Amino acid sequence: MDALSSGKDRINERIAAFIAGILILVVILITATEALCYWIPGWWRKEYAKYDTPQYVTGEMSLDDAVYITEQMLEYCIGHIDTLDDTEATIDGVTAPFFTEREKQHLADCRNIFLGAVKFRIIAVLAAAALLIAVWFSVQKRIERVHGRENGSALIWPAFARVTSKGYLKALAAFIIFALFLIIVGMHDFTFLFTKFHHVFFDNDLWILDPRKDNLVNVMQESVFSDAAVTIGSVWAVCSLCLAAAAAAVIKKTSRD
């Protein structure tokens, strides 16, 4: 009976550690996205200069104005400002509000997604912490049941570290497989992936903008979104692989102890 109970405990610990790993990776992804939008100095200016973004705008517009309206849009999406009504740009020598009503409605949806992601990150951190605490007490209970409290105390941390580290590595493997699938699809047809992304996250067609009337779509081109995806993925990969290296080191060390 003890062996059966111990086996079930081990399975539950592995499942909890795997889910915690997935949540941690999602937290890293959300944070990497925030880093691109707000923490990497000059990223948008470099992108717009790289693709000469102002040339695609209907009318003559400066690089400074293109960067300015993007920064205002991002400040709005994260909740730092409450409206885009006063965001102006100079096009063909005329200074006027940049965003059309349709664009503002779409960006209101984007704002909800941004703020929802920030809230979800907090929930994910708390949920991952709760799962890891549950794993700790399960490991403690399981080991003390077999070895006793005094003899088992030294075994709890190594066992917990192995379970959680292996759970994270399995979660990372699953994440990478999914990411590779998206990369292959994106390399073959980024427009398809871009469209599917909007179908998943938006329940209306406000994101379909007319480049003749809506200059936002002329500024935020697919090439910029593509580079943004690569940058976010790179930041996520560096952070997640650093954790993977630490997890592998923990597994190696605790296996020898």
Side-chain angles (χ1 to χ4, degrees):
M1 188 68 179
D2 284 344
L4 180 61
S5 177
S6 179
K8 289 182 178 179
D9 288 341
R10 287 177 183 273
I11 291 172
N12 290 334
E13 289 161 12
R14 291 169 184 170
I15 292 173
F18 176 80
I19 296 173
I22 291 291
L23 291 173
I24 290 169
L25 291 168
V26 171
V27 167
I28 296 173
L29 181 60
I30 293 171
T31 305
T33 303
E34 187 176 9
L36 169 75
C37 293
Y38 303 100
W39 303 341
I40 302 179
W43 191 89
W44 296 98
R45 179 176 291 276
K46 290 177 183 176
E47 281 294 300
Y48 292 166
K50 173 182 176 181
Y51 293 109
D52 193 13
T53 293
Q55 71 170 314
Y56 298 103
V57 172
T58 302
E60 186 176 345
M61 181 183 186
S62 70
L63 176 62
D64 286 342
D65 272 0
V67 173
Y68 170 72
I69 63 100
T70 302
E71 291 174 343
Q72 288 294 103
M73 175 185 67
L74 292 173
E75 289 294 294
Y76 171 76
C77 285
I78 204 64
H80 292 167
I81 59 177
D82 295 325
T83 180
L84 291 170
D85 292 344
D86 301 325
T87 300
E88 297 182 336
T90 301
I91 300 176
D92 288 336
V94 178
T95 301
F98 178 82
F99 296 102
T100 64
E101 286 304 314
R102 185 177 181 86
E103 288 171 338
K104 286 187 284 188
Q105 290 174 29
H106 171 56
L107 289 173
D109 290 337
C110 294
R111 176 187 173 102
N112 290 334
I113 292 173
F114 264 73
L115 295 178
V118 171
K119 290 178 182 177
F120 180 79
R121 179 171 57 187
I122 296 172
I123 295 171
V125 168
L126 295 175
L131 286 168
L132 293 177
I133 290 171
V135 170
W136 171 270
F137 283 113
S138 177
V139 169
Q140 181 185 45
K141 180 180 177 181
R142 174 168 56 82
I143 288 179
E144 289 181 351
R145 186 168 59 236
V146 175
H147 299 281
R149 177 167 296 183
E150 291 186 6
N151 295 330
S153 59
L155 302 175
I156 296 171
W157 166 250
F160 170 78
R162 280 195 301 273
V163 170
T164 53
S165 295
K166 288 180 179 179
Y168 173 78
L169 291 177
K170 289 175 182 177
L172 179 59
F175 227 95
I176 288 175
I177 290 171
F178 181 66
L180 287 175
F181 169 75
L182 293 181
I183 290 170
I184 292 171
V185 172
M187 290 177 66
H188 177 70
D189 189 351
F190 184 78
T191 299
F192 170 80
L193 191 63
F194 180 81
T195 302
K196 287 298 180 183
F197 168 85
H198 283 82
H199 285 160
V200 168
F201 286 98
F202 299 97
D203 60 0
N204 54 54
D205 65 354
L206 292 172
W207 60 274
I208 302 175
L209 301 173
D210 185 347
R212 295 169 299 179
K213 298 183 296 183
D214 306 305
N215 263 323
L216 176 61
V217 72
N218 296 324
V219 173
M220 304 295 291
Q221 302 165 61
E222 282 190 14
S223 55
V224 175
F225 276 106
S226 179
D227 285 0
V230 170
T231 303
I232 291 168
S234 299
V235 173
W236 176 86
V238 169
C239 295
S240 60
L241 290 177
C242 284
L243 282 179
V250 166
I251 293 171
K252 183 177 181 180
K253 184 179 186 306
T254 55
S255 296
R256 289 199 308 262
D257 292 345

